Amino acid sequence: MKLVHKLFGLLLLSSVLFSGCDDLSEINENPNGVEPLNAHPNLLMATVISESAKQVVSLGFGNVAGVMQHTQKDAWFSSHNDYDWGDQSWGGQYSILRNADLMQERAIDLELDFHEGVSMAMKAYMFALITDLWGPAPYLDAVAADEGALDQLLPAFDEQSVIYNGVLNDLEQASALFSAPQQSYDAIVGDADLFYGGDVASWQKFTNSLRLRYLMRISDKDPSKAKAGFESVAALPLILDPADDATMPYVGTTSDDSWPSNVLTDASGSSYRRIKMCATLVDKLQTLNDPRLAVWAQPIDVPLVVDPNAAPGTDEVVDGQRRLAPDVVEGQLVDTDPVYVGIPPSVSAIPSGYNLNPTPGQTSFNPHVSYLNELYTKAADPLLVARVASAAEVRFLLAEAAAKGWSVPGSAEEHYQEGIRASFTSWGLEESVEDYLSQPGVAFDGTVRQIIEQKWIASWTAAAEAWFDYRRTGFPQLEAGPIAKRDVLPVRFYYMQSELNINTSNAQAALDLLEETNFSQADGTNSAWSKPWLLQGTGKPW
Amino acid sequence: MRVLLLFCLSVLGLSLHAQSVQGTIVDESGDPIIGATILVVGTANGTVTDLDGNFDLSNVASGETLQFSYTGMQEQRVEVGDERTFSIILKSTLFLDEVVVTALGIKRDERSLGYSVGRVGGDNLNRVAQENVLNGIAGKVSGVQINSTGGAGSSVSMVIRGANSLNGDNQPLFVVDGVPIANTLNNVGQVGRDNRVDFGNAVADLNPDDIESVSILKGPSAAALYGSRAGNGVVLITTKSGQKADGLTVSINSNTVLDNPIRFLDFHTSYATGVRPYTPDNNPYPGGVLLIEEGSAAGIGPKLDQGYSAIQWNSPIGADGHPQLLPLESHPNNIRDFVQTGINSTNNISIANSNDLISYRASYTNLASRGLIPNSDFHKNYLSLSSAVNVNKNFVVSTNVNVGRSHSNNRPAGNRGSNPLEWAYKVSPHIDINDLKDYWVPGQEGIQQRSQAPGDYNNPWFLANEAINSFERDRLYGNVMGEWQITPKLRLMGRYSLDQFSEERETRIAPSYTREANGAYGLINLGRTESNADFLLTYTTDVNDFSVSASAGGNVLNQNGSSVRTATKERGSGLVIPGLFTLANIEPNNLDFSSTEFRKSIYSVYGLVNLAYKDIVYLDLTGRNDWSSTLPAENRSYFYPSASLSLLVNNMMELPSFDTWKIRAGWAQVGNDTDPYSLYPVLGNAGAWDGVTRLTQSGSLLTADLKPEISTSFEVGTDLAMFDDQFRLSATIYSVSNENQILGLALPQSSGFSSKVINAGKVSSRGWEASVGFTPIRRGALEWNLDFNLYRNRTRIDELTEGIDRFQLWRDAKGGAWTYVGEDIGDIYDAELITVTDPSSPYFGYPILDDEGSWQDIDDQDTRNKIGNFNPDFILGGQSSLTYKNITLSFTIDWRKGGQFVSQTYRYSESDLKTQRWLDKLIVYDGAREDLPQWLKDNEDEYITDGINIVGGPGDEFGGQPFDFGVVVNDGVFNPGVIAEYDDQGNITGYIENLGGPETKYIPYAANYPWSFTSASTFDADFLKLRDVSIGYRLPSQVTDRVGISRADISIYSRNVILWTKAGVGIDPENAFQPEGGTQGNGITFKQGIERYNVNPFVLPIGIRLNATF
């Protein structure tokens, strides 16, 4: 009897103990998200497009705008003005590729041609950007660590020629995927396509336009392929009207989806305040009497006036002007332009003090230098877009091809003028364009130099393309400032350190593909002044 | 053993006829000991004390010796003379022979254990008030390292025997009366940009006054039975119960401590903000008026206290409509004026009683704390009830329930951002911080803060009062346990325990915080529950000289947790209507919301066998098998054994002078699982884009076929006590090898992923611990005990995986802490200064500067430039306790030797030129200018080749050279070294000296900070700290009896007084500990060896403790 009690007690206890036992595998099923293998490509499309488009602005309104002398910063400036770089991560680019890759995989599984085409086009664009910026880079084995083999964990770097070829082939295939009538595509969600709202024909124009870009890119290194390819693509649908531009507007709610210099999410306004116009661009625009300057820049608050009749030592603010005696400004860099003043490139270790700023410093207000237009304090605006590819660019590409004597529809002058017109239209200035085109200095003189200079102006806030053109053509002829890290402009980005360390042997092999120059100096081969294949033997840009 | 308190009258003619003896036996606190044994030595005649500690034993002859003993107490012997009444105080065993609580709550004699257990008694823990139990352990147990982020309510980290796992926080498992308590270090929450708040770890909810004792099971040998979570050791906490109470006992404790700030960071107060030290005669402002650039981050503007006047932030507008000049004066006491005296007050009352049927203890604790930063606080209210009921002779049911709330009306943010202390230090020394106390711009109250430069500078008072982070954590933990003595040899225990908390955090940031213009608001709700159901069946028997105890048991662990967050988006558009803190006041596009949940279960069975031969040999064997939900089905079950042996040498042979001598050895394995959902990835949310969903694939690759980590440890040690326990020694050496580590390995970004979880690698640690105790004086009522403990641990990465040569713990400040395979964890690396490396060059060792005269570096990742290690060489703890009658004076001291830390605070502040230290480091040359190059070369070891040097400074008194930019100011400095000349291939062809000669490149002082070098802000971590010092007095019983108090104590104390730091920069090296995720991959741990604005002032606390028992 007693034993029965005891046994019963034990049984009760153990049943209490194990009644709470659920299936362990079920417990470990993650309730917090979608498994990648079930993801619809539409869930990834906006991610890929928005992050890619943001790259255009973060480069072309960031350090590359400094290189191309569109802008200068006067605080935390050394990487923007002076090319003080060192370790440049491509993590952002390869993360976009990771999502684009999954999107492509899912599009193929679900047999969605439009989504496959978009993912291929965006992948090609991103790989091209990577090699444009860094030179040799992982391409064939890249973005495959999830497949797990060692050569996928540590991918080999490919020579630039391999990457440009692959990019061009992929763009050709993507273009073909976009060739069917709109209604034959399934599962298009217009909102997820931040460029074209799901319009397939527009994607084909975008894809073909990118092909022109990269064919021109390799024109010095592989002239026959470039010419033949360019001539055939030039006959296909292209972005020729600004309405077809591949642009993405900003949303303007958080710093992540707002224009970078906005003051909505940066209360101090310092990211707006510390970007100033660069004198190189200001002077060029003033020379050409270019109305775009007024859209991009703000007049200075207090002009400087050097009055030869002023008593020695005079330095006073009168009627909104700062009146100075000649002895006060002796030996000083002074720009007395009454309206627009840009900071010369790499001008000094205290750029905030330029033009006799009374309050130099990291958070300076400079009444004697032009800020960007107040437009750039906004978080979102129809004019504040990430411009991935534009009619202006395509027109200038066609103009350059025609000027080279390649067989493309239309003349160089026609495309040159249409390129300027497209840019003016984008900035709301279509009514001023005729006057502008007829001005001396703007009227077409038949040179590639003039085409590229106009392309450089039109690339405002998207300066990366201007940098790549500069490397290829040497135009516009820019000079490094007095305290720049080297005496000439850089031509590539540094490889990121973690790549050199983790992917050591492959990165080392890639370094061997670069050509050291006398500006590489203490950097060694991994220098912003070492030349990748695209520039080797071209003698450009220096 | 020694007789302590006895008075024997020695009478020569001893009476030989037997009589009875009587008396009382009490413990050190005067509480009666029930059941103590009294034995006439050499006979079977003996008895035990009753409920009041009284005894009466007949048939004791004069000249015979009485032996008084009780488990866990030092035995005493007294020869019987004429005096027949004895009043015996038994002291608790100082060293050996102590009963300790071991795994699963099993009480054991320490001498039978084959592994080392650290112990801290409740008295020792509570001699000075501690808001967090862990702080009371610091310095008292060897092998234990404690770090914290600050004062009351902060996270405290405890690492036992070094960090063994590369992918976790290495925190031990806390078990309170059998209830595993959730505790993590990951308690930093953030609503609003750069508003990082440490909400404190949950172990802070424990109330030190309720603690009877703490056992620290340091190694896997001790902890193997606790399984997976015990790999980092176990802290077993036993709370007070009513079982010792003799009748109704009421005890009151009151503890108040004032923290007086005494030492601050080494900042200068000589210059206003600005980038150049302009003077009224020499500045670029039109009209020659001096204007302070108060928005500048740099602190090297016009010099103060020179009789200058300038236009300042608070200049009144004069009759001419222009701001008026105000004198430029320094305000050296700004930080002292900003911080306040911290007050911590803990009050506790407990009631206990026991009788044959039931015993209980109920306790209420209130803690109220005011922080050093104005408007910061921390509160705790806890009720606990423990009770045991003897259902019948063989069945006892007991329960222990703790319920309470911890809360704070405001926990100030740390790190950079909304940290009030950061901004107090940023207030320019030309400003009196008291002038900022009115922190709203008049007429814009609630909209715009007033500061030296709105938009660029936050007002520290504004942050303290208008960036509010509050929380409430309600917690319930406890257990119900039944113990059934089925037969005299068979015993069954069953228990259900629960730990549950819910926490709500709320952040309200007013508009005009510089990083959230329109303010921020958010609510975060966290919930967590862990339940354990376990049983243990134990069979005990004796066979001849052998005794055997065998047990078998099982445990079911279920954990679940959730978190829900609703807040304004970070760096978003803030609130619609200023100052209205509701979720409805957030514009929908600006709303950040998320929810996550997790579940985890582990099922376990285990068994253990203890074998003893006489009192000579003890052998313990254990085995445990776990089934964890976090591992794939095929690897889910894992078994791990342990064995330990203890030999009592003093019982094997006659050893004069030895009281005890034990030799022990232990070997154990512990398996460890991982976090839930570590096998398969899910897509993350990248945040909607204008209402369109954006998902993203994680950059961390998971591994579906994870195996459990297995850590194998071995330890040997010895414990001995000699000369009546006046010399005590305990020493252990150990090694732990941790295999199959589940860790995130960094991948090259080009692989598309940033890290991959692997199941490889081997990390081993080795170390030793020693403690030595002396009793230099033991004479009558005077006793002085000295105890020292010392330890050293090193952890090495033996293997990782193919192609991977290092593991990164953190990377920051252009350097970082990573470890190469085959080397020890903790090394800190930095970029390397480029210097002339040709030994035959006259410039060998000189920095090679760039064309502008700036230093050049080889990136930290490209070189192996080790500049330190964040681990100490050793930590020596010392405790002294001096007792004379009713007075006890005791102190604990810690000395850390060796190691380094990186100070981000100094890095930021020195790049802003705000510290005195940086000015003091400048090389000032006052000789003839043309002799300068030679003077530098003559002293090249000191001024050129030893790294970063700067010649000159801001102004003539530092030898600053004229630098022309707009205005000529003598703030030009240069970096001694050479500038290289290159040929077309980029080879160096020669050097130009940059030593003050004509070709020297001058740079304005403000533009010359070596930002690329971690070493510029790396400091030695050595320190000497007075953990606690107290003087206590027990009121004589004649006094207390008269007022009906059975016992009353008063003590005055201080604690955590930093006596000395080698660095001398006002930073506590124990706070070099950054509350952010650290390790590569997805690991979460605090960053060791680096701090960022974790810089509370040093304090000199004064505390008073009162205790009365009725």
Side-chain angles (χ1 to χ4, degrees), chain B residues 476-515:
Chain B
L476 168 73
Y477 65 91
N479 64 31
V480 184
M481 180 167 84
E483 288 171 287
W484 182 16
Q485 196 75 43
I486 303 171
T487 74
K489 290 182 174 179
L490 189 64
R491 188 177 175 83
L492 176 67
M493 181 279 291
R495 173 168 53 195
Y496 178 79
S497 61
L498 181 74
D499 174 27
Q500 193 166 39
F501 69 77
S502 64
E503 183 171 331
E504 177 172 288
R505 300 171 178 174
E506 183 181 33
T507 291
R508 288 173 287 150
I509 300 177
S512 77
Y513 164 47
T514 56
R515 296 178 199 191

Short mmCIF file of all heavy atoms in Angstrom, two decimals, chain B residues 476-515:
data_model
loop_
_atom_site.label_atom_id
_atom_site.label_comp_id
_atom_site.label_asym_id
_atom_site.label_seq_id
_atom_site.Cartn_x
_atom_site.Cartn_y
_atom_site.Cartn_z
N LEU B 476 9.08 38.72 -10.78
CA LEU B 476 8.63 37.71 -9.84
C LEU B 476 9.54 36.51 -10.00
O LEU B 476 9.74 36.03 -11.12
CB LEU B 476 7.18 37.30 -10.18
CG LEU B 476 6.67 36.05 -9.49
CD1 LEU B 476 6.39 36.33 -8.02
CD2 LEU B 476 5.41 35.54 -10.16
N TYR B 477 10.14 36.08 -8.92
CA TYR B 477 10.89 34.84 -9.03
C TYR B 477 10.77 34.06 -7.73
O TYR B 477 10.60 34.64 -6.65
CB TYR B 477 12.34 35.05 -9.43
CG TYR B 477 13.20 35.79 -8.43
CD1 TYR B 477 13.91 35.10 -7.45
CD2 TYR B 477 13.31 37.17 -8.48
CE1 TYR B 477 14.71 35.78 -6.55
CE2 TYR B 477 14.11 37.85 -7.59
CZ TYR B 477 14.81 37.16 -6.62
OH TYR B 477 15.60 37.83 -5.72
N GLY B 478 10.82 32.76 -7.88
CA GLY B 478 10.69 31.96 -6.68
C GLY B 478 10.50 30.50 -7.04
O GLY B 478 10.59 30.11 -8.21
N ASN B 479 10.26 29.70 -6.03
CA ASN B 479 10.08 28.29 -6.30
C ASN B 479 9.16 27.65 -5.26
O ASN B 479 8.86 28.24 -4.23
CB ASN B 479 11.44 27.57 -6.33
CG ASN B 479 12.15 27.59 -4.98
OD1 ASN B 479 11.50 27.59 -3.92
ND2 ASN B 479 13.46 27.62 -5.01
N VAL B 480 8.72 26.48 -5.60
CA VAL B 480 8.02 25.61 -4.65
C VAL B 480 8.75 24.28 -4.69
O VAL B 480 9.06 23.76 -5.76
CB VAL B 480 6.56 25.37 -5.07
CG1 VAL B 480 5.85 24.55 -4.01
CG2 VAL B 480 5.85 26.66 -5.34
N MET B 481 9.06 23.77 -3.51
CA MET B 481 9.88 22.56 -3.47
C MET B 481 9.32 21.60 -2.42
O MET B 481 8.88 22.03 -1.36
CB MET B 481 11.31 22.95 -3.12
CG MET B 481 12.28 21.81 -3.05
SD MET B 481 13.98 22.40 -3.00
CE MET B 481 14.14 22.73 -1.27
N GLY B 482 9.32 20.35 -2.79
CA GLY B 482 8.95 19.33 -1.82
C GLY B 482 10.12 18.37 -1.62
O GLY B 482 10.77 17.98 -2.58
N GLU B 483 10.40 18.04 -0.37
CA GLU B 483 11.46 17.07 -0.09
C GLU B 483 10.84 15.93 0.72
O GLU B 483 10.23 16.16 1.77
CB GLU B 483 12.59 17.72 0.71
CG GLU B 483 13.41 18.68 -0.12
CD GLU B 483 14.38 19.46 0.75
OE1 GLU B 483 13.92 20.35 1.48
OE2 GLU B 483 15.58 19.15 0.70
N TRP B 484 11.04 14.76 0.23
CA TRP B 484 10.36 13.60 0.81
C TRP B 484 11.41 12.56 1.16
O TRP B 484 12.13 12.06 0.29
CB TRP B 484 9.38 13.06 -0.25
CG TRP B 484 8.57 11.90 0.18
CD1 TRP B 484 8.35 11.42 1.43
CD2 TRP B 484 7.84 11.04 -0.71
NE1 TRP B 484 7.55 10.35 1.40
CE2 TRP B 484 7.21 10.08 0.10
CE3 TRP B 484 7.65 11.00 -2.10
CZ2 TRP B 484 6.43 9.07 -0.45
CZ3 TRP B 484 6.88 10.01 -2.64
CH2 TRP B 484 6.26 9.05 -1.81
N GLN B 485 11.51 12.27 2.44
CA GLN B 485 12.43 11.23 2.90
C GLN B 485 11.65 9.91 2.81
O GLN B 485 10.95 9.52 3.75
CB GLN B 485 12.87 11.53 4.34
CG GLN B 485 14.09 10.76 4.80
CD GLN B 485 15.38 11.30 4.20
OE1 GLN B 485 15.59 12.50 4.13
NE2 GLN B 485 16.26 10.40 3.74
N ILE B 486 11.81 9.24 1.67
CA ILE B 486 10.96 8.07 1.42
C ILE B 486 11.31 6.95 2.40
O ILE B 486 10.45 6.33 3.02
CB ILE B 486 11.13 7.61 -0.03
CG1 ILE B 486 10.78 8.78 -0.98
CG2 ILE B 486 10.22 6.42 -0.32
CD1 ILE B 486 11.09 8.52 -2.42
N THR B 487 12.57 6.65 2.48
CA THR B 487 13.07 5.72 3.51
C THR B 487 14.26 6.43 4.12
O THR B 487 14.71 7.46 3.58
CB THR B 487 13.53 4.39 2.89
OG1 THR B 487 14.78 4.62 2.23
CG2 THR B 487 12.52 3.83 1.91
N PRO B 488 14.82 5.94 5.22
CA PRO B 488 15.97 6.65 5.81
C PRO B 488 17.10 6.84 4.81
O PRO B 488 17.90 7.76 4.95
CB PRO B 488 16.39 5.73 6.95
CG PRO B 488 15.13 5.04 7.33
CD PRO B 488 14.35 4.84 6.07
N LYS B 489 17.18 6.00 3.80
CA LYS B 489 18.28 6.13 2.86
C LYS B 489 17.89 6.74 1.52
O LYS B 489 18.74 7.03 0.69
CB LYS B 489 18.90 4.75 2.61
CG LYS B 489 19.64 4.23 3.82
CD LYS B 489 20.28 2.91 3.55
CE LYS B 489 21.14 2.49 4.73
NZ LYS B 489 21.76 1.18 4.51
N LEU B 490 16.62 6.91 1.31
CA LEU B 490 16.17 7.35 -0.01
C LEU B 490 15.38 8.64 0.14
O LEU B 490 14.48 8.76 0.95
CB LEU B 490 15.27 6.26 -0.62
CG LEU B 490 14.89 6.46 -2.08
CD1 LEU B 490 16.11 6.41 -2.99
CD2 LEU B 490 13.87 5.40 -2.48
N ARG B 491 15.77 9.60 -0.69
CA ARG B 491 15.19 10.93 -0.55
C ARG B 491 14.82 11.44 -1.95
O ARG B 491 15.56 11.26 -2.90
CB ARG B 491 16.28 11.81 0.05
CG ARG B 491 15.87 13.19 0.46
CD ARG B 491 17.12 13.84 1.09
NE ARG B 491 16.85 15.22 1.40
CZ ARG B 491 16.22 15.61 2.51
NH1 ARG B 491 15.84 14.72 3.41
NH2 ARG B 491 16.00 16.90 2.73
N LEU B 492 13.69 12.11 -2.02
CA LEU B 492 13.26 12.64 -3.31
C LEU B 492 12.97 14.13 -3.16
O LEU B 492 12.29 14.56 -2.25
CB LEU B 492 12.00 11.91 -3.79
CG LEU B 492 11.39 12.44 -5.09
CD1 LEU B 492 12.31 12.17 -6.27
CD2 LEU B 492 10.02 11.81 -5.32
N MET B 493 13.49 14.88 -4.09
CA MET B 493 13.21 16.32 -4.12
C MET B 493 12.55 16.63 -5.45
O MET B 493 12.98 16.16 -6.49
CB MET B 493 14.52 17.10 -3.97
CG MET B 493 14.40 18.60 -3.96
SD MET B 493 14.25 19.36 -5.58
CE MET B 493 15.87 19.10 -6.25
N GLY B 494 11.50 17.44 -5.43
CA GLY B 494 10.88 17.92 -6.65
C GLY B 494 10.69 19.42 -6.52
O GLY B 494 10.43 19.93 -5.43
N ARG B 495 10.86 20.11 -7.63
CA ARG B 495 10.85 21.58 -7.50
C ARG B 495 10.36 22.20 -8.79
O ARG B 495 10.63 21.71 -9.88
CB ARG B 495 12.27 22.04 -7.20
CG ARG B 495 12.46 23.55 -7.19
CD ARG B 495 13.80 23.93 -6.61
NE ARG B 495 14.88 23.22 -7.29
CZ ARG B 495 16.13 23.14 -6.81
NH1 ARG B 495 16.44 23.68 -5.66
NH2 ARG B 495 17.04 22.50 -7.48
N TYR B 496 9.64 23.28 -8.65
CA TYR B 496 9.27 24.08 -9.81
C TYR B 496 9.72 25.49 -9.51
O TYR B 496 9.42 26.05 -8.46
CB TYR B 496 7.75 24.05 -10.02
CG TYR B 496 7.33 24.92 -11.17
CD1 TYR B 496 7.46 24.45 -12.48
CD2 TYR B 496 6.81 26.19 -10.96
CE1 TYR B 496 7.09 25.26 -13.55
CE2 TYR B 496 6.44 26.99 -12.02
CZ TYR B 496 6.58 26.52 -13.31
OH TYR B 496 6.23 27.31 -14.37
N SER B 497 10.47 26.08 -10.43
CA SER B 497 10.94 27.44 -10.18
C SER B 497 10.65 28.31 -11.39
O SER B 497 10.57 27.83 -12.52
CB SER B 497 12.42 27.46 -9.82
OG SER B 497 13.18 26.95 -10.87
N LEU B 498 10.48 29.58 -11.10
CA LEU B 498 10.03 30.51 -12.13
C LEU B 498 10.76 31.82 -11.95
O LEU B 498 10.97 32.28 -10.83
CB LEU B 498 8.53 30.73 -11.94
CG LEU B 498 7.83 31.66 -12.93
CD1 LEU B 498 7.68 30.96 -14.26
CD2 LEU B 498 6.48 32.07 -12.38
N ASP B 499 11.15 32.40 -13.06
CA ASP B 499 11.69 33.76 -13.04
C ASP B 499 11.03 34.50 -14.18
O ASP B 499 11.11 34.08 -15.33
CB ASP B 499 13.22 33.72 -13.23
CG ASP B 499 13.80 35.12 -13.36
OD1 ASP B 499 13.19 36.06 -12.83
OD2 ASP B 499 14.87 35.26 -13.99
N GLN B 500 10.38 35.58 -13.85
CA GLN B 500 9.58 36.26 -14.85
C GLN B 500 9.73 37.76 -14.65
O GLN B 500 9.67 38.24 -13.52
CB GLN B 500 8.12 35.86 -14.63
CG GLN B 500 7.20 36.23 -15.74
CD GLN B 500 5.87 35.51 -15.59
OE1 GLN B 500 5.37 35.35 -14.47
NE2 GLN B 500 5.30 35.06 -16.68
N PHE B 501 9.97 38.47 -15.73
CA PHE B 501 9.90 39.92 -15.59
C PHE B 501 9.32 40.56 -16.81
O PHE B 501 9.34 40.02 -17.91
CB PHE B 501 11.26 40.53 -15.22
CG PHE B 501 12.31 40.51 -16.29
CD1 PHE B 501 12.28 41.40 -17.35
CD2 PHE B 501 13.36 39.61 -16.21
CE1 PHE B 501 13.27 41.40 -18.32
CE2 PHE B 501 14.36 39.60 -17.17
CZ PHE B 501 14.31 40.48 -18.23
N SER B 502 8.74 41.72 -16.58
CA SER B 502 8.29 42.53 -17.70
C SER B 502 8.84 43.92 -17.44
O SER B 502 8.89 44.40 -16.31
CB SER B 502 6.78 42.54 -17.81
OG SER B 502 6.25 43.16 -16.67
N GLU B 503 9.29 44.52 -18.52
CA GLU B 503 9.96 45.81 -18.37
C GLU B 503 9.40 46.76 -19.40
O GLU B 503 9.23 46.39 -20.56
CB GLU B 503 11.47 45.60 -18.59
CG GLU B 503 12.29 46.84 -18.41
CD GLU B 503 13.80 46.54 -18.41
OE1 GLU B 503 14.20 45.43 -18.01
OE2 GLU B 503 14.56 47.42 -18.82
N GLU B 504 9.10 47.95 -18.96
CA GLU B 504 8.68 48.97 -19.91
C GLU B 504 9.66 50.13 -19.85
O GLU B 504 9.97 50.65 -18.79
CB GLU B 504 7.27 49.48 -19.59
CG GLU B 504 6.87 50.60 -20.56
CD GLU B 504 5.42 51.01 -20.44
OE1 GLU B 504 4.56 50.22 -20.88
OE2 GLU B 504 5.16 52.09 -19.93
N ARG B 505 10.16 50.48 -21.01
CA ARG B 505 11.08 51.61 -21.09
C ARG B 505 10.40 52.72 -21.89
O ARG B 505 9.75 52.46 -22.90
CB ARG B 505 12.36 51.21 -21.82
CG ARG B 505 13.09 50.08 -21.13
CD ARG B 505 14.23 49.56 -21.99
NE ARG B 505 14.97 48.51 -21.29
CZ ARG B 505 15.94 47.79 -21.84
NH1 ARG B 505 16.27 48.00 -23.10
NH2 ARG B 505 16.56 46.87 -21.15
N GLU B 506 10.56 53.92 -21.43
CA GLU B 506 9.96 55.06 -22.12
C GLU B 506 11.01 56.15 -22.28
O GLU B 506 11.73 56.46 -21.34
CB GLU B 506 8.77 55.59 -21.32
CG GLU B 506 8.05 56.73 -22.03
CD GLU B 506 6.88 57.29 -21.23
OE1 GLU B 506 6.97 57.30 -20.00
OE2 GLU B 506 5.89 57.72 -21.86
N THR B 507 11.10 56.68 -23.48
CA THR B 507 12.03 57.78 -23.73
C THR B 507 11.25 58.99 -24.21
O THR B 507 10.38 58.87 -25.07
CB THR B 507 13.07 57.36 -24.79
OG1 THR B 507 13.93 56.39 -24.21
CG2 THR B 507 13.91 58.56 -25.24
N ARG B 508 11.56 60.14 -23.63
CA ARG B 508 10.94 61.40 -24.04
C ARG B 508 12.04 62.43 -24.23
O ARG B 508 12.71 62.80 -23.26
CB ARG B 508 9.96 61.90 -22.97
CG ARG B 508 8.68 61.07 -22.88
CD ARG B 508 7.83 61.50 -21.70
NE ARG B 508 8.43 61.05 -20.45
CZ ARG B 508 8.30 61.68 -19.29
NH1 ARG B 508 7.63 62.79 -19.20
NH2 ARG B 508 8.88 61.20 -18.21
N ILE B 509 12.26 62.82 -25.45
CA ILE B 509 13.29 63.82 -25.71
C ILE B 509 12.61 65.07 -26.26
O ILE B 509 11.87 65.01 -27.25
CB ILE B 509 14.34 63.30 -26.71
CG1 ILE B 509 15.02 62.04 -26.14
CG2 ILE B 509 15.38 64.37 -27.01
CD1 ILE B 509 16.02 61.40 -27.07
N ALA B 510 12.88 66.18 -25.61
CA ALA B 510 12.24 67.43 -26.02
C ALA B 510 12.85 67.93 -27.32
O ALA B 510 13.96 67.56 -27.68
CB ALA B 510 12.42 68.46 -24.91
N PRO B 511 12.14 68.80 -28.03
CA PRO B 511 12.69 69.35 -29.27
C PRO B 511 13.98 70.13 -29.00
O PRO B 511 14.18 70.63 -27.89
CB PRO B 511 11.60 70.32 -29.75
CG PRO B 511 10.38 69.94 -29.02
CD PRO B 511 10.80 69.30 -27.74
N SER B 512 14.80 70.19 -30.01
CA SER B 512 16.05 70.95 -30.07
C SER B 512 17.26 70.19 -29.54
O SER B 512 18.35 70.75 -29.49
CB SER B 512 15.96 72.33 -29.39
OG SER B 512 16.01 72.23 -27.98
N TYR B 513 17.09 68.93 -29.15
CA TYR B 513 18.29 68.09 -28.97
C TYR B 513 18.99 68.08 -30.33
O TYR B 513 18.33 67.89 -31.36
CB TYR B 513 17.86 66.69 -28.53
CG TYR B 513 18.91 65.60 -28.65
CD1 TYR B 513 20.21 65.80 -28.20
CD2 TYR B 513 18.60 64.36 -29.22
CE1 TYR B 513 21.16 64.80 -28.32
CE2 TYR B 513 19.55 63.36 -29.34
CZ TYR B 513 20.83 63.59 -28.90
OH TYR B 513 21.78 62.60 -29.02
N THR B 514 20.29 68.27 -30.35
CA THR B 514 20.97 68.52 -31.63
C THR B 514 20.82 67.37 -32.62
O THR B 514 20.93 67.57 -33.81
CB THR B 514 22.48 68.79 -31.43
OG1 THR B 514 23.04 67.68 -30.72
CG2 THR B 514 22.70 70.07 -30.67
N ARG B 515 20.57 66.16 -32.12
CA ARG B 515 20.48 65.05 -33.07
C ARG B 515 19.05 64.61 -33.32
O ARG B 515 18.83 63.63 -34.03
CB ARG B 515 21.35 63.89 -32.61
CG ARG B 515 22.80 64.34 -32.61
CD ARG B 515 23.77 63.31 -32.14
NE ARG B 515 25.01 64.03 -31.78
CZ ARG B 515 26.15 63.45 -31.52
NH1 ARG B 515 26.27 62.16 -31.60
NH2 ARG B 515 27.20 64.15 -31.19
#
